Amino acid sequence: MASLGSSIRSAARATSSAYRHLPIRWRLAGGSAALTLVILCGFAVIVGVLTTRQIREDFQDEVSRNADKLSQQARLRLFWDGTRPVLKPDRSRVDLEDFAASQGAAIRVITEDDLVGYQTPGAPDFGTPYRRTFETDGWRVERRQVEVVPGDPWFLQYGRRISEIQDTTARVKLFLAFGVLGGALLALLAGLATARRAMEPITELTAAARRIERSRDPSLKIPHPEADDEVAELAYTLDAMLTALDSARAETEGALARQREFVADASHELRTPLTSVLANLELLEEELTGEQRETAASALRSSRRMRRLVADLLLLARADAGRQAPHEAVDLSEVVTDAAAELEPVAGDHEISIFAPAGMQVDGARDELHRLVLNLMENALRHTDPGTAVEATVERRNGAVVLSVEDDGPGIPRDLREKVFERFYRGTGDRSGSSGLGLSIVRTVAESHKGSVELEEPLDGRGARFVVRIPTA
């Protein structure tokens, strides 16, 4: 019993879950069709019961009337065929055989002792005539006394098959069943059409929301339905929400713009005191000796790292604030050569090779491009073992100058290929405690020059391969 109850509850939950997954228009149309089906079923049951009852009553009345008619109009004469009585009907009054054939009936004329004097072809044995009205073996039978000459009492049994009304009632039930199903189907189609029309304001709201999603512009307006109903209230609510979001976005953008301006200005202002600190520390390093000289050298290294970090933050802050350095025609091959020469003294056991033919002109800021190349090559040196090679190549391809920097290191896992360009992201193999801004600066500089940077599959099974594309000047 408990298992049966659990099965019923599981089936109910499954049905409820399936119903909730249906679209609203199908739920509305299905509910309308189900209600129509229930109403039509009730109507069909009532009509079927009344109709079948009326058909049966009409059939019984017709059988009774025909029996009365025959008892009044039929006249038979009695003859003896040996020891057996034979009745012959008077055809001038009514032809019993023709009447029975036209009605699909059977007629017998018998005595109270069940002595048959006349019967139509194929008439069954209805039994002794002791009942006025009865049913037997699928026949409805009416008994009436009939005139026989000479005037001994004879009885006429008039019967018709009950299957006649059964066929008629079956056709009525079939017609009602088709009517119920057809009505439910029409209700479903009409419900779908009505629901679709009723959902048009929701469809318009959805389309407007998708336009706002694509454009990311909350200042766009939501269409308001003409009717003052729940959909109109939803539209007004969404419109008010978008207005509030637009105001909040404007405030946020204003705050972010002020913050970017502040960071850019602060980073710019920090360069002057840092330059002064570096100059003083360099002077102290030359003048001092012993432990004091080592302390000044350590402070100088930290200050230079700070200057590099401030320069990185300044570049990113200017990009965020929309400030662009003046652009001019720059030979990217010269920039690569200068960056390689700058890194040569600190490359250690690494082998730096470049292939940079002259004439690779791009429109850009030389200092920013120098920082881009320097960061890519430094990143390769930082994440590869001593004795491995770092190779930089510059070439022109499809209307763009392409810079490729490859190394023989362990490479970068596929799931980290987008993270390496995020700000302050440090790889697990970082050996120098970098700030995590190098590759983000590479992407920022590339995009500010209408270019791109990608981490592509390495050639010949090598390590990492960074490819920068910048349109030619």
Side-chain angles (χ1 to χ4, degrees), residues 320-332:
D320 292 341
R323 299 181 184 180
Q324 190 176 40
H327 283 200
E328 59 183 2
V330 179
D331 189 344
L332 191 59

Side-chain angles (χ1 to χ4, degrees), residues 35-51 175-177 179-180:
L35 180 60
T36 303
L37 180 63
V38 171
I39 294 174
L40 289 178
C41 284
F43 177 77
V45 169
I46 295 173
V47 171
V49 170
L50 295 179
T51 302
F175 174 78
L176 289 174
V180 169

Side-chain angles (χ1 to χ4, degrees), residues 216-429:
R216 296 188 176 185
D217 184 7
S219 62
L220 296 177
K221 294 298 181 181
I222 293 290
H224 294 168
E226 297 180 0
D228 188 11
D229 54 7
E230 291 80 1
V231 179
E233 184 178 356
L234 174 61
Y236 286 117
T237 303
L238 289 176
D239 207 4
M241 180 188 69
L242 289 174
T243 301
L245 288 176
D246 191 23
S247 300
R249 188 182 73 164
E251 294 176 0
T252 303
E253 288 181 350
L256 288 175
R258 291 190 296 271
Q259 182 180 2
R260 294 189 191 103
E261 293 287 342
F262 170 77
V263 172
D265 293 339
S267 300
H268 180 73
E269 294 298 328
L270 282 173
R271 298 180 68 181
T272 301
L274 275 175
T275 303
S276 176
V277 169
L278 284 170
N280 292 328
L281 288 174
E282 289 173 355
L283 180 60
L284 285 174
E285 185 184 20
E286 294 177 359
E287 296 294 332
L288 296 176
T289 59
E291 185 177 348
Q292 293 179 341
R293 180 185 178 92
E294 292 179 2
T295 303
S298 175
L300 182 60
R301 287 192 299 270
S302 298
S303 300
R304 285 173 178 167
R305 187 167 178 269
M306 184 183 296
R307 180 177 65 178
R308 178 70 178 272
L309 180 59
V310 169
D312 291 344
L313 291 174
L314 176 60
L315 191 151
L316 293 174
R318 283 179 172 175
D320 292 341
R323 299 181 184 180
Q324 190 176 40
H327 283 200
E328 59 183 2
V330 179
D331 189 344
L332 191 59
S333 296
E334 294 181 2
V335 175
V336 173
T337 303
D338 293 344
E342 183 176 340
L343 290 174
E344 189 68 33
V346 296
D349 294 333
H350 289 87
E351 179 184 350
I352 300 178
S353 61
I354 62 172
F355 176 76
M360 301 297 177
Q361 299 287 332
V362 296
D363 183 36
R366 188 180 185 88
D367 290 343
E368 293 182 359
L369 292 174
H370 182 81
R371 179 65 59 81
L372 179 148
V373 178
L374 200 65
N375 285 359
L376 283 177
M377 298 182 74
E378 278 187 339
N379 182 75
L381 295 174
R382 185 181 300 117
H383 294 91
T384 55
D385 295 327
T388 57
V390 175
E391 181 180 324
T393 304
V394 183
E395 59 183 335
R396 185 179 287 107
R397 190 190 309 162
N398 297 328
V401 175
V402 180
L403 166 65
S404 303
V405 177
E406 293 183 83
D407 59 56
D408 293 331
I412 298 175
R414 187 175 296 274
D415 57 339
L416 299 179
R417 292 192 174 185
E418 285 300 321
K419 291 185 177 181
V420 295
F421 293 103
E422 296 177 1
R423 296 182 183 182
F424 301 106
Y425 177 80
R426 296 178 177 87
T428 54

Side-chain angles (χ1 to χ4, degrees), residues 31 64 66 141 162 229 351:
S64 179
N66 288 340
V141 182
I162 300 174
D229 54 7
E351 179 184 350

